[in-house]
Amino acid sequence: MKFSFLKWLSSDIAIDLGTANTLIYVRGEGIVVNEPSIVARSTINNKIIAVGDDAKEMMGRTHPNIEVVRPMKDGVIANFEMTDAMLQGFIKKINISRFARPRIVICVPSGITEVEKRAVKESGERANARVIYLIEEPVAAAVGIGIDISKPVGNMIVDIGGGTTEIAIIALNGVVTKESLRIAGDEMNEAIIQYFRKEHNLLIGERMAEQIKLNIGSATKVEDKTMSVKGRNFVVGIPRTIDVSSEQIRECLRETVDVMISGIKRTLENTPPELSSDILDRGIILTGGGALLKGLDERIRLETELPVHVAEEPLLSVAMGTGKVLEDVEKYREILM
């Protein structure tokens, strides 16, 4: 009983505070929270009604007295108050004492500014942290995949999240060259929403756009599929259903995918020759939710003529890496920001 009380009072946590999803890793337990980064609040008294999965269920279905907010944008905090509320809601779910003073490791985009770093740290401090460490997303992803980043060997990681695409060459516990694009999964969803608005006069929501991307979205020709899409025709104001093909969706995702590939090419151009030869042998590793877009690995392979591998569990790589760092902070101290 004494052991469980101490654990309840002092559990250290690692947080992958993502634009689309927040994952929380508790030391000694693993990932205990994997939910959307969404908060629902009352517009009457500002009371938090729901966070995570419960809040996502309310998206697009609320009345004027309830507002559903995504407090993260482009991988960083856009709404401080709602981010705090979301973190507190998730921490309540994992049953950590409000008297606990945990160590917290938080994952951040590699292109984060000093102001944004301060905002993330302040959010962690309001979660009653004893000490806060920050780690760059591509580094955490590499650790989570199981790469020994301490060796003098180049590894190329492309982490495609909801708000950012992180591209980095990592060797000897450090980032040799990197590019952080504030274009990722959310831009793909927005491209789909705009396509239906312009081409079909149909208004669809974020959830429907995400379903379309997952079901028939692709970066190169993989298979011919169609999907029925429901929305509201904004000309006549009446709900409608239309069928769209995977080819149409591939075309509207093309611009976003092209920007990502351009970022990968620029990073390769800035890579020292010795490390370039390592990447030629080891290839590019894709991780993050965007890595699941059908045919993306094949498209990058065609554009770069390099081997491309998708991580075994791309959605969990960053959280698992952040958790590994939490389990042995001394071993990974050199890679902490």
Side-chain angles (χ1 to χ4, degrees):
M1 186 73 183
K2 184 181 176 185
F3 172 76
S4 61
F5 174 74
L6 287 173
K7 185 178 174 188
W8 172 76
L9 204 60
S10 62
S11 291
D12 293 337
I13 59 176
I15 303 172
D16 174 11
L17 195 58
T19 307
N21 293 287
T22 293
L23 291 84
I24 298 181
Y25 180 109
V26 174
R27 189 177 184 190
E29 292 183 40
I31 295 171
V32 295
V33 169
N34 181 0
E35 297 193 27
S37 301
I38 301 174
V39 184
R41 71 176 183 95
S42 165
T43 56
I44 297 171
N45 57 15
N46 280 336
K47 184 181 176 184
I48 301 303
I49 297 166
V51 299
D53 288 327
D54 297 333
K56 186 176 182 180
E57 287 300 312
M58 300 178 186
M59 278 188 80
R61 295 189 166 100
T62 59
H63 49 75
N65 293 342
I66 297 176
E67 181 185 23
V68 178
V69 179
R70 292 183 63 186
M72 303 293 297
K73 183 173 173 59
D74 298 334
V76 293
I77 296 171
N79 185 320
F80 302 108
E81 187 184 341
M82 290 297 104
T83 301
D84 287 343
M86 182 178 74
L87 279 178
Q88 293 301 326
F90 287 144
I91 287 169
K92 269 184 194 171
K93 289 187 180 188
I94 60 180
N95 200 28
I96 289 180
S97 164
R98 63 191 178 91
F99 301 110
R101 299 294 310 279
R103 288 187 306 172
I104 300 181
V105 181
I106 304 176
C107 204
V108 294
S110 58
I112 192 170
T113 66
E114 289 302 318
V115 172
E116 290 164 343
K117 274 185 203 173
R118 240 186 345 264
V120 172
K121 283 190 170 182
E122 283 171 10
S123 192
E125 283 163 5
R126 283 191 283 269
N128 212 27
R130 180 170 84 250
V131 60
I132 298 163
Y133 300 105
L134 302 182
I135 182 171
E136 293 177 287
E137 277 177 22
V139 177
V143 173
I145 292 163
I147 295 170
D148 183 354
I149 61 172
S150 66
K151 292 183 176 179
V153 177
N155 297 283
M156 186 168 192
I157 306 293
V158 180
D159 176 32
I160 308 165
T164 60
T165 297
E166 302 289 322
I167 307 160
I169 309 292
I170 302 168
L172 291 170
N173 282 333
V175 176
V176 179
T177 184
K178 65 185 177 184
E179 180 129 1
S180 183
L181 307 173
R182 300 210 167 181
I183 284 182
D186 285 351
E187 277 66 26
M188 292 185 195
N189 293 347
E190 184 59 30
I192 292 170
I193 290 169
Q194 291 306 318
Y195 166 77
F196 280 94
R197 185 183 180 92
K198 290 173 185 173
E199 300 296 324
H200 301 285
N201 295 331
L202 197 75
L203 296 175
I204 64 169
E206 282 183 44
R207 291 182 66 180
M208 178 57 75
E210 180 76 15
Q211 286 176 25
I212 295 165
K213 181 176 72 177
L214 292 173
N215 290 345
I216 61 171
S218 64
T220 188
K221 188 168 182 178
V222 180
E223 55 186 340
D224 292 320
K225 289 174 75 176
T226 58
M227 178 179 173
S228 295
V229 176
K230 298 173 184 176
R232 176 168 61 85
N233 184 296
F234 66 81
V235 176
V236 295
I238 295 172
R240 288 282 185 261
T241 301
I242 65 165
D243 291 334
V244 291
S245 68
S246 51
E247 186 178 348
Q248 289 169 298
I249 301 305
R250 183 166 61 252
E251 193 56 40
C252 76
L253 294 178
R254 182 186 297 279
E255 190 176 336
T256 307
V257 172
D258 285 349
V259 171
M260 291 178 189
I261 291 170
S262 295
I264 291 170
K265 286 180 176 178
R266 280 194 302 274
T267 307
L268 287 166
E269 285 166 9
N270 294 325
T271 303
E274 293 297 334
L275 295 180
S276 293
S277 65
D278 293 336
I279 293 157
L280 193 60
D281 294 334
R282 299 165 75 88
I284 300 168
I285 300 171
L286 302 184
T287 186
L292 297 173
L293 180 69
K294 296 181 190 75
L296 181 60
D297 54 339
E298 181 59 30
R299 175 81 194 279
I300 295 170
R301 193 177 295 121
L302 288 170
E303 294 278 354
T304 62
E305 298 182 358
L306 292 169
V308 181
H309 315 285
V310 178
E312 199 170 316
E313 292 184 288
L315 290 165
L316 304 180
S317 302
V318 171
M320 290 302 297
T322 313
K324 282 183 182 178
V325 171
L326 177 72
E327 296 282 359
D328 194 347
V329 170
E330 288 308 314
K331 177 182 176 182
Y332 293 104
R333 188 168 290 278
E334 198 178 329
I335 65 172
L336 295 169
M337 297 171 73

